[in-house]
Amino acid sequence: MSTIDDISLEKQLVYSNQSIPTLTELLEYMKSSNKSLMFDIREPPEDHPYRDSIINQTIEAIQQSQVRPEYVRTVNKSIQCSHVKVQCIVI
C-alpha cells in the first residue's frame, strides 16, 4: 500500500484539492452521466452512532435518488438482497 510519502509533490497538491463526494452526490452524478456503481458497505466501529442503521440509510439514499436498480450493485453480504431493489454480488 502506498502512503503520501510515495507520491510526488505535484500529485500530492492535486490530491489535496480533491474532495470525496457524499453518497447522494455520487448517485446524482450517476443519474446524470448514465454510470454504474459497485460498492461495499463496511460496518462502522461498535461505538459509532450509525452502526445499526448504515445499511438502511444507504438503501434509503439509493431508493430516494431514483437511480435505476440495475445500475447499483453491492458486494456486501449483510444486505438482504431479496427485500431491496439493489443487485447484490456476494464474493
Side-chain angles (χ1 to χ4, degrees):
M1 178 180 281
S2 296
T3 65
I4 193 72
D5 296 329
D6 299 329
I7 301 171
S8 71
L9 279 170
E10 182 181 16
K11 286 192 178 188
Q12 285 181 32
L13 183 60
V14 169
Y15 296 154
S16 69
N17 289 321
Q18 294 180 353
S19 62
I20 299 172
T22 65
L23 178 58
T24 302
E25 291 169 339
L26 181 59
L27 292 166
E28 285 300 317
Y29 170 75
M30 287 175 52
K31 276 178 42 177
S32 67
S33 62
N34 202 28
K35 300 287 183 187
S36 296
L37 171 67
M38 178 182 275
F39 66 97
D40 185 9
I41 300 175
R42 298 182 188 252
E43 290 183 325
E46 286 191 27
D47 61 342
H48 194 281
Y50 297 120
R51 166 94 177 163
D52 297 328
S53 62
I54 191 71
I55 292 173
N56 287 336
Q57 288 182 352
T58 303
I59 292 168
E60 187 175 305
I62 293 167
Q63 290 173 335
Q64 287 179 356
S65 73
Q66 299 180 347
V67 170
R68 293 178 49 192
E70 60 267 24
Y71 289 111
V72 181
R73 300 169 195 261
T74 179
V75 295
N76 192 281
K77 294 178 183 179
S78 57
I79 292 180
Q80 297 295 320
C81 299
S82 61
H83 299 111
V84 182
K85 291 183 177 179
V86 174
Q87 293 184 7
C88 297
I89 300 169
V90 180
I91 298 176

